[in-house]
Amino acid sequence: MPTHPVPSWWQRHRRTLRATALIVLLTLCGLMILALVREQTGTAGLLVGFGLALLPVPLLLTAFRWLSAPLPAPWRTHLFAFAWGACAATLVAILANGFATDWLASSVVVDSPHEADTLGATVIAPVVEETTKAAAVLLLFLFRRRHLDSVVSGIAAAGITAAGFAFTENILYLGTAFDQDAALGPDGLAGSATAGTFLIRIIFAPFAHPLFTAMTGIAFGMVAALPRRRRILRTVLPLLGWFTAVLLHAIWNGSASFANYTFLAVYGLFMLPVFGALTWLAVWSRLHELRIVRETLPAYAAAGWFSEPEPWSLSSMRARSMARAMARRSHGPAAARTVAAYQHEATALALLRSRATNGATAPDFAAREHQLLNSLRANHPLSGPPTTSAALALSRPPIPPQAWAGYSPR
């Protein structure tokens, strides 16, 4: 009989070791960031900055998780993205931006420290910051392709990375502003730097960093859906997405350096329309994924893998929610989680088949399809009935139940 080689110690434990090394690296970056921010803002400024910077984080994370709800990435994937943005990307950006600004101030390129700060914020910072944030998107694309394989998942991963970056950056800016106000005493209340910084960074533009980096996420999401033979496009798109992110970032930072009402004009006439366009694209892409589910799964239903009403139910977020609620009422929270997994696997199957139909066949297509179908078959006895019931209850016009009487999935 043939003998199989015994896996080495590294092969058996490499995933655990890689995860541990990544956690240690991000933790060290976080501790260094904490020390740098505390040195610049003081303990009181750090605490105030942390509390104020935390306010938009739940809203941003909820928005990006909602966006990817048809096929959400595991929480650990998005936790990595947030931690990378908050720790690793911010640390590299602070060190690189500081070095670049000091070099500009001491060189013949500029005539004053103010010009060095302006040039650093407008040219250097966008390149450095968008590159460090894009690194998280690239890592997920290379090592967790299943979790970054569409425009929706690309926007979500990039947005959460940027939300982490903005969180740490806001701590620094808000903490510094609070420290300045504290140094002025009561005289600083009239023109509070803390209030102004909070108004701009937390109220008016909490979406700024996610908006910039989403361009990189969109590009990688598009690449994931392209056929492998489109090599030039697969190379150009990420660079174009990164360049667009840098350009938007530079316009935003540069507008703050001009006098009069340039900043407000750029905010109202440029940033808000771009944000609106991105929001439209994100919602359209989410609906497009659900349309793919509705159009692709009937072929599997015809082969017996689903009951006939299920593709409609699985393509409606309202029907999905109703199916989970039915399972929870009947069999408890564990059943609801099983139905949720069933819904996500059905979505993954539809997207996998759709990409193959469009020429972007995954290398492991057959094995992946077989794995998903087996899992769906195993969960169908519990998940199929509430999924079918939700379709019958919500479809307009109502689907007559007798139309599928006696239909039994494989």
Side-chain angles (χ1 to χ4, degrees):
M1 295 180 63
T3 59
H4 299 282
V6 178
S8 65
W9 183 88
W10 164 253
Q11 291 174 326
R12 295 195 307 270
H13 300 91
R14 60 183 177 182
R15 295 188 65 179
T16 302
L17 292 173
R18 287 174 180 172
T20 302
L22 185 61
I23 292 172
V24 171
L25 173 64
L26 292 176
T27 301
L28 291 175
C29 290
L31 292 175
M32 293 179 66
I33 282 286
L34 187 66
L36 289 173
V37 174
R38 184 177 179 275
E39 180 182 0
Q40 184 163 337
T41 65
T43 302
L46 172 64
L47 295 176
V48 170
F50 182 90
L52 295 177
L54 189 62
L55 294 177
V57 171
L59 178 62
L60 292 171
L61 295 183
T62 300
F64 289 117
R65 290 293 293 184
W66 172 87
L67 177 65
S68 61
L71 185 57
W75 268 106
R76 63 179 180 273
T77 299
H78 284 167
L79 180 61
F80 158 76
F82 186 87
W84 182 276
C87 301
T90 314
L91 178 62
V92 173
I94 288 177
L95 296 177
N97 289 341
F99 174 80
T101 302
D102 292 342
W103 176 80
L104 288 172
S106 61
S107 69
V108 296
V109 178
V110 296
D111 298 326
S112 66
H114 176 70
E115 289 185 13
D117 291 338
T118 301
L119 188 60
T122 307
V123 178
I124 305 298
V127 173
V128 172
E129 294 176 11
E130 293 309 320
T131 301
T132 56
K133 288 182 288 181
V137 183
L138 176 62
L139 289 173
L140 291 176
F141 180 79
L142 293 176
F143 299 105
R144 290 293 183 270
R145 180 69 63 86
R146 290 181 184 175
H147 305 152
L148 206 164
D149 58 356
S150 66
V151 170
V152 169
S153 58
I155 293 176
I160 290 175
T161 302
F165 185 95
F167 169 64
T168 304
E169 189 180 62
N170 286 339
I171 294 175
L172 177 61
Y173 280 100
L174 289 165
T176 302
F178 178 82
D179 187 55
Q180 293 173 356
D181 290 342
L184 294 175
D187 296 334
L189 296 178
S192 173
T194 306
T197 304
F198 179 83
L199 190 66
I200 293 175
R201 301 188 69 87
I202 306 300
I203 301 299
F204 284 166
F207 60 83
H209 274 289
L211 172 62
F212 308 146
T213 314
M215 303 302 161
T216 305
I218 291 171
F220 276 103
M222 293 173 65
V223 169
L226 285 175
R228 292 186 174 273
R229 64 178 182 274
R230 307 290 294 274
R231 295 181 180 179
I232 296 178
L233 197 57
R234 290 170 65 87
T235 302
V236 170
L237 274 177
L239 295 176
L240 182 61
W242 171 83
F243 176 78
T244 305
V246 171
L247 181 62
L248 291 176
H249 200 153
I251 293 172
W252 175 250
N253 284 5
S255 67
S257 304
F258 293 98
N260 301 324
Y261 297 99
T262 304
F263 177 80
L264 293 178
V266 170
Y267 178 79
L269 301 178
F270 182 74
M271 291 295 294
L272 288 182
V274 173
F275 174 68
L278 175 66
T279 302
W280 174 86
L281 175 63
V283 174
W284 181 89
S285 299
R286 185 180 192 260
L287 294 174
H288 180 65
E289 286 193 354
L290 293 174
R291 284 195 296 271
I292 289 175
V293 172
R294 185 174 303 185
E295 294 169 0
T296 304
L297 291 187
Y300 288 96
W305 293 102
F306 300 98
S307 68
E308 234 177 296
E310 284 188 84
W312 186 94
S313 183
L314 291 166
S315 66
S316 165
M317 297 306 293
R318 184 183 176 192
R320 287 186 175 203
S321 178
M322 177 178 284
R324 294 193 299 270
M326 289 179 180
R328 186 179 295 106
R329 287 194 300 267
S330 301
H331 303 287
R337 290 192 293 271
T338 300
V339 173
Y342 182 81
Q343 294 166 350
H344 300 157
E345 288 164 350
T347 305
L349 177 65
L351 295 178
L352 183 73
R353 170 60 65 175
S354 176
R355 293 191 194 98
T357 302
N358 294 328
T361 307
D364 61 342
F365 171 81
R368 179 65 173 156
E369 183 185 44
H370 183 71
Q371 175 191 3
L372 289 170
L373 287 173
N374 284 340
S375 182
L376 287 165
R377 180 171 55 187
N379 290 330
H380 193 274
L382 179 60
S383 304
T387 302
T388 301
S389 297
L392 297 175
L394 294 178
S395 61
R396 293 293 181 269
I399 300 173
Q402 62 270 21
W404 291 283
Y407 186 89
S408 59
R410 164 179 308 182

